[in-house]
């Protein structure tokens, strides 16, 4: 594959001479959070993280994301955390888009640079530090793990996008492919965080309508994306949330590749209400 590139927010503020023209949308079926909204004023801070700020793209909320949270972390030189996750039931995925961090899992160090990917199971002993500088930016996706009796819990692992071959979707001649970091048939995992790749002209040629909740962060390129009844223009740095069963499709018109980081919940029975 071509050398990967990843968009990362830088913060800052627009000038006072600018008018409000943006593409932000929040509906009952989907949301679009454009890159232009990721400014200094919308950052947050987390307990036990030093020299770090975070853009919260999705959080469990009535009428919004139900199964996960999605952060973009910005860690300054010397920053990080020795107690990053305060929820013992939360699993996580880290994906580095800028700079470098040292991820320590059970005493073993892993240097992660752009394209670096880590899966951290619930209860995992990990911490993270930016030893190298300059500022490092990475995605952190969190989900409460749904254990199943008789199925082992997954183990932590660290890899890179550059080391994982994309899988072509059947009949697409490589125009649409997915970089899968876990085996889709591995039922230990109840979430997948993958990278979806389109070459110019690639399409999702039908309205996908299914049970999986989605979070999509555009890493590279631009496209028009079908969200429920609307065609929406999106580009690198934009974020999309789709509720379960929201119809979706895509046309990647080019001129370059269109790629996004995708979250979805998988491999578990549907919880039923109790009366």
């Amino acid at each position: 594959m071509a050398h990967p590139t990843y968009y990362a927010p830088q913060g800052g503020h627009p000038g006072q001479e600018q008018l409000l023209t943006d593409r932000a949308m929040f509906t009952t079926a989907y949301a679009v959070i454009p890159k232009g909204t990721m400014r200094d004023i919308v950052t947050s801070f987390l307990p036990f993280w030093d020299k770090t700020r975070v853009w919260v793209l999705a959080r469990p909320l009535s009428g919004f994301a139900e199964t996960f949270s999605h952060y973009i972390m910005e860690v300054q030189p010397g920053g990080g955390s020795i107690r990053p996750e305060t929820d013992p039931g939360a699993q996580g995925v880290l994906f580095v888009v800028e700079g470098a961090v040292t991820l320590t899992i059970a005493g073993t160090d892993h240097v992660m640079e752009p394209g670096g990917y880590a899966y951290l199971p619930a209860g995992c002993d990990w911490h993270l530090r930016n030893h190298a500088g300059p500022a490092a930016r990475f995605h952190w996706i969190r989900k409460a793990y749904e254990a199943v009796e008789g199925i082992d819990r997954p183990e932590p692992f660290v890899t890179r996008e550059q080391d994982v071959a994309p899988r072509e979707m059947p009949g697409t001649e490589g125009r649409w492919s997915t970089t899968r970091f876990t085996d889709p048939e591995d039922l230990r995992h109840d979430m997948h965080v993958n990278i979806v790749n389109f070459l110019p002209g690639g399409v999702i040629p039908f309205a996908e309508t299914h049970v999986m909740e989605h979070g999509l962060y555009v890493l590279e390129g631009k496209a028009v994306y079908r969200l429920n009844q609307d065609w929406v223009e999106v580009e690198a740095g934009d974020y999309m949330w789709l509720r379960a069963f929201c119809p979706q499709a895509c046309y990647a018109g080019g001129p370059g590749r269109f790629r996004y980081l995708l979250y979805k919940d998988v491999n578990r029975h549907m919880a039923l209400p109790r009366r």
Side-chain angles (χ1 to χ4, degrees), residues 144-168:
Y145 184 67
E146 298 178 53
V148 176
E149 184 179 358
I151 296 179
D152 292 337
R153 290 173 178 260
E155 300 293 328
F157 67 86
V158 179
T159 185
R160 304 187 311 157
E161 183 198 359
Q162 297 90 324
D163 297 332
V164 180
R167 300 187 189 184
E168 296 182 3

Side-chain angles (χ1 to χ4, degrees), residues 22 45 64 85 87-88 124 130 138 142 164-165 266:
D22 215 325
F45 300 95
F64 190 39
E85 177 59 80
D87 183 346
C124 180
N130 177 2
F138 61 91
R142 303 166 63 246
V164 180
V266 297

